[in-house]
Amino acid sequence: KVSFKETDSIEAYDAFLKGWELYRKWTPEDFHKSLPYFEIAIELDPQYGKAYAAIASVYTEGYQSAWDWSHVVGVSAEAMPGLAGKYLREALKYPTTLAHQVASKWYIILLFPDEAIASAEKAIALDPNDAVGYEAMAWALIYSGKPKEAIDYVNKAIRLDPLNIANYLYTLGTAHFGMEQYQEAVSFYEKAFRLNPKLGLVQRAYLAASYVYLGLFDKAKAEVDIPEIRDVRELYDLYVKYEGARYKNPEDAARLNDGISQVGLDGKINMK
């Protein structure tokens, strides 16, 4: 079996590439559109590990970004972990860099930071030329309280995958946020959102909190005063549910919490 393709089926590989092209656009709509192609790839080759991993990653990213597809395919954010786990278990039967990346993210969610780093190491070892392994390591380090160490890994991912950098720029921003370098964080976040305005509500929470710490309250308000956010509590609750619990160190969670809690949709800043 050709290691790069990870399948002997040309048809399965072609279907996977069509899905992957959509996946790399990193928007809720394109992630959703990618799923049928990955499913076709699996039908054509039931041992196509990377296709399983790609579906697991779609549901994982949807869960992490607090996307709600219930109006599209009946899949809510709450349903995504079960779907991600189902496909990840299959993916790990035929391990790929992407499968280990997804596993690393779930170890973060489940509060096992050491295991998250170990899975990221497996991803990199399996294919040192695949950007997703370095991205996985960067996030594992950020949530483990080592944001400075994450920066080199993100830059490596950008060098390997320069055409799809919006998500990497967001990762860089979050590393600087963890280092309390809010001006640098804002710079990377703003670039990321210019390239991909649909990164997600949780990502906007980080940008809003960064603006608060810089005293840019009007800009902070603008980040939560958007049509898809009906109430600032919705954003805050999404942060609490999907983001805050992932940090190993309470002070890192508090940094985002304290920032976003100061922003209100009514234009007032609640200084506590």
Side-chain angles (χ1 to χ4, degrees):
K1 185 171 285 190
V2 179
S3 60
F4 176 71
K5 294 180 180 179
E6 294 153 351
T7 180
D8 286 327
S9 170
I10 298 300
E11 293 82 4
Y13 182 56
D14 182 62
F16 177 86
L17 288 182
K18 290 176 180 176
W20 194 247
E21 183 178 0
L22 291 163
Y23 174 100
R24 295 307 295 155
K25 293 181 181 179
W26 215 273
T27 72
E29 294 82 5
D30 289 305
F31 267 170
H32 172 239
K33 291 176 184 177
S34 73
L35 287 172
Y37 292 105
F38 297 140
E39 290 166 351
I40 290 171
I42 290 170
E43 289 176 6
L44 293 168
D45 181 357
Q47 297 183 344
Y48 199 167
K50 194 168 185 178
Y52 287 109
I55 296 177
S57 186
V58 166
Y59 288 125
T60 299
E61 294 302 332
Y63 177 70
Q64 287 191 309
S65 297
W67 292 330
D68 187 342
W69 290 338
S70 57
H71 62 293
V72 180
V73 290
V75 178
S76 67
E78 289 76 13
M80 290 181 190
L83 290 166
K86 170 186 173 182
Y87 285 97
L88 179 57
R89 285 190 292 273
E90 291 299 316
L92 290 172
K93 294 178 182 178
Y94 320 100
T96 61
T97 297
L98 184 59
H100 289 303
Q101 181 210 30
V102 177
S104 179
K105 290 188 175 184
W106 278 103
Y107 278 126
I108 290 169
I109 293 169
L110 297 172
L111 305 181
F112 294 110
D114 294 339
E115 289 82 352
I117 291 174
S119 287
E121 289 173 343
K122 290 178 182 178
I124 294 170
L126 200 58
D127 187 352
N129 294 312
D130 194 327
V132 298
Y134 297 96
E135 182 193 21
M137 180 61 80
W139 281 112
L141 290 169
I142 288 170
Y143 288 117
S144 296
K146 303 174 183 177
K148 186 175 182 179
E149 295 180 28
I151 291 176
D152 285 344
Y153 286 96
V154 191
N155 287 330
K156 178 68 172 180
I158 291 172
R159 288 194 293 272
L160 291 169
D161 187 19
L163 299 180
N164 299 287
I165 65 170
N167 197 55
Y168 302 138
L169 292 173
Y170 163 64
T171 308
L172 274 176
T174 308
H176 284 283
F177 184 89
M179 298 163 64
E180 301 183 68
Q181 297 175 348
Y182 302 116
Q183 189 62 61
E184 291 86 346
V186 162
S187 177
F188 286 117
Y189 288 145
E190 288 179 342
K191 290 176 184 176
F193 275 105
R194 280 198 295 271
L195 291 170
N196 184 0
K198 298 182 178 181
L199 276 175
L201 301 183
V202 170
Q203 287 85 341
R204 289 190 180 276
Y206 277 102
L207 179 53
S210 298
Y211 282 142
V212 165
Y213 286 124
L214 292 174
L216 303 173
F217 297 129
D218 288 343
K219 285 190 173 184
K221 177 182 178 296
E223 287 307 312
V224 297
D225 193 9
I226 53 179
E228 59 264 42
I229 302 177
R230 295 181 298 276
D231 189 296
V232 71
R233 289 300 307 178
E234 179 180 350
L235 179 62
Y236 180 77
D237 290 343
L238 287 171
Y239 149 65
V240 170
K241 188 170 184 179
Y242 298 109
E243 192 63 18
R246 297 174 188 169
Y247 281 100
K248 179 179 180 179
N249 300 324
E251 59 268 27
D252 292 326
R255 185 176 299 112
L256 181 57
N257 179 28
D258 292 345
I260 194 62
S261 67
Q262 296 180 45
V263 185
L265 286 182
D266 58 2
K268 297 178 181 178
I269 304 298
N270 304 311
M271 302 301 292
K272 296 181 179 180

